[in-house]
Amino acid sequence: MAIRSLSSVAFVSLALLLILTGKSSSAELSKDFYSKSCPKLFSTVKSVVKSAVSKERRMGASLVRLFFHDCFVNGCDGSILLDDTSSFRGEQTAAPNNNSVRGFNVIDQIKSKVEHVCPGVVSCADIVAIAARDSTVLLGGPNWNVKLGRRDAKKASFSDANSGVIPPPFATLSTLIKRFQDKGLSAKDMVALSGAHTIGQARCVVFRDRIYNQNNIDSSFAKTRRANCPRTTGSGDNKLAPLDVKTPNFFDNAYYKNLINKKGLLNSDQVLFNGGSTDSIVRTYSSNPDAFYSDFVSAMIKMGDLDPLTGSKGEIRKKCGRVN
């Protein structure tokens, strides 16, 4: 390799350069990034999120999920927010997102209000990150300091979003672990982040196979879910069911208790507790909500560090749905 032919001095200089200007720019993110340039940012975002969640509790879960689906495709760069145009196809119509990911209108409302108090300063990518945190807190979950300073992507990729980097609801445990490891997230991070399924709902089309064809499911739970999700494909595909049968609108650790009782709605839920390597983590979270909250916060911060655009990269979009 060419780098081996460099002198030791040159190599050290290159190493220092990489440290200072390296590809991983998460170190440039800071919880105080907008403290002077947009001091009203947090209160502005929270007011809109609070209003949206009060109107529809499910929206809180949707905003958390929006952050996840953004970060897993080429980093937390707001690319998922870009609308398709006649000459451009973005991420929104890719299989993991189409007719599934929601909350774009709420992000647009937040952006509009933020632009009013500090125009041209705050990225859409950062707004998504803050909205995910605020949604979690408003639904009873833990709070944390969101690291900020991301800039917005000027492009999005339909093919990248469709490539399998976002684990599907029928994923096996090994697939889940691999997909998260590919992003530098551990199996524990994956189980903790899956706990976001303590809020929100899923469509019949993504859990139909589980309630009709799988055995590792509580029979009464399956029967209840079948009542609103017909066996026939194409019939009732968009009918909804809560991901957490106990407290679907409250952020708690009931999700893990459900898994132990074989009441995980998605295959990708129940595989976390099915005789595999993550059973012990599920047991811990089911009996220790503080451990779940702590690990969830840690994992959300780590996920938020995924390949952000900082410095002169990207842009600060005026409208989240299109480039400037």
Side-chain angles (χ1 to χ4, degrees):
M1 296 174 63
I3 197 168
R4 290 179 179 172
S5 65
L6 295 172
S7 69
S8 59
V9 174
F11 182 82
V12 171
S13 298
L14 178 61
L16 288 172
L17 181 64
L18 289 172
I19 290 172
L20 293 172
T21 63
K23 183 179 180 181
S24 177
S25 50
S26 62
E28 298 176 36
L29 301 181
S30 164
K31 62 184 178 65
D32 300 319
F33 190 83
Y34 297 109
S35 60
K36 294 181 179 180
S37 59
C38 193
K40 295 182 179 179
L41 172 61
F42 291 121
S43 60
T44 303
V45 175
K46 185 177 181 180
S47 67
V48 180
V49 175
K50 186 175 183 179
S51 176
V53 172
S54 67
K55 292 176 184 175
E56 182 194 9
R57 300 283 283 181
R58 182 189 176 203
M59 185 54 68
S62 296
L63 291 172
V64 174
R65 187 163 178 258
L66 185 62
F67 183 50
F68 169 71
H69 279 238
D70 182 35
C71 290
F72 259 57
V73 181
N74 298 323
C76 310
D77 59 3
S79 57
I80 196 172
L81 305 174
L82 290 173
D83 298 324
D84 290 356
T85 68
S86 58
S87 59
F88 164 83
R89 189 176 189 186
E91 299 169 19
Q92 294 180 19
T93 56
N97 302 328
N98 195 33
N99 297 319
S100 177
V101 174
R102 311 166 67 242
F104 300 106
N105 59 323
V106 177
I107 299 300
D108 287 342
Q109 291 169 21
I110 297 171
K111 178 63 172 174
S112 177
K113 288 188 176 295
V114 169
E115 284 294 299
H116 181 72
V117 297
C118 44
V121 173
V122 182
S123 69
C124 299
D126 277 345
I127 286 173
V128 172
I130 300 169
R133 187 275 309 274
D134 288 352
S135 295
T136 301
V137 174
L138 286 167
L139 293 176
N143 198 353
W144 66 93
N145 291 320
V146 182
K147 292 166 67 175
L148 302 168
R150 303 170 190 83
R151 289 168 63 85
D152 297 319
K154 296 181 180 181
K155 60 182 181 179
S157 174
F158 173 84
S159 59
D160 288 348
N162 238 1
S163 66
V165 291
I166 300 173
F170 49 83
T172 63
L173 180 59
S174 59
T175 295
L176 289 171
I177 291 174
K178 176 67 165 58
R179 293 290 181 268
F180 279 75
Q181 282 182 341
D182 288 346
K183 299 296 179 181
L185 298 165
S186 68
K188 179 185 281 190
D189 294 328
M190 181 270 291
V191 178
L193 289 170
S194 296
H197 283 185
T198 188
I199 51 177
Q201 301 183 63
R203 296 179 299 148
C204 165
V205 68
V206 299
F207 62 82
R208 175 181 283 124
D209 180 71
R210 171 152 168 75
I211 62 174
Y212 284 104
N213 299 322
Q214 296 187 9
N215 296 320
N216 61 337
I217 186 170
D218 178 83
S219 57
S220 62
F221 173 70
K223 184 178 179 181
T224 300
R225 292 282 75 90
R226 288 170 186 165
N228 199 41
C229 180
R231 181 190 290 270
T232 306
T233 300
S235 177
D237 284 1
N238 292 321
K239 288 184 176 293
L240 300 171
L243 287 158
D244 175 357
V245 68
K246 287 187 177 181
T247 52
N249 293 315
F250 192 77
F251 197 102
D252 56 20
N253 68 331
Y255 168 80
Y256 300 103
K257 298 177 181 179
N258 295 336
L259 299 186
I260 290 174
N261 292 315
K262 298 184 179 181
K263 294 181 180 180
L265 184 63
L266 308 179
N267 183 75
S268 57
D269 293 324
Q270 195 59 56
V271 294
L272 303 182
F273 190 84
N274 195 40
S277 60
T278 56
D279 282 15
S280 60
I281 306 173
V282 171
R283 287 192 184 279
T284 296
Y285 293 161
S286 72
S287 61
N288 190 338
D290 289 340
F292 163 47
Y293 285 178
S294 176
D295 289 349
F296 179 81
V297 165
S298 175
M300 286 291 281
I301 293 171
K302 285 174 68 176
M303 185 173 71
D305 283 346
L306 291 176
D307 299 323
L309 299 174
T310 59
S312 60
K313 298 176 182 177
E315 65 181 10
I316 304 298
R317 286 189 220 135
K318 296 175 183 177
K319 299 277 188 180
C320 289
R322 64 174 186 260
V323 297
N324 293 340

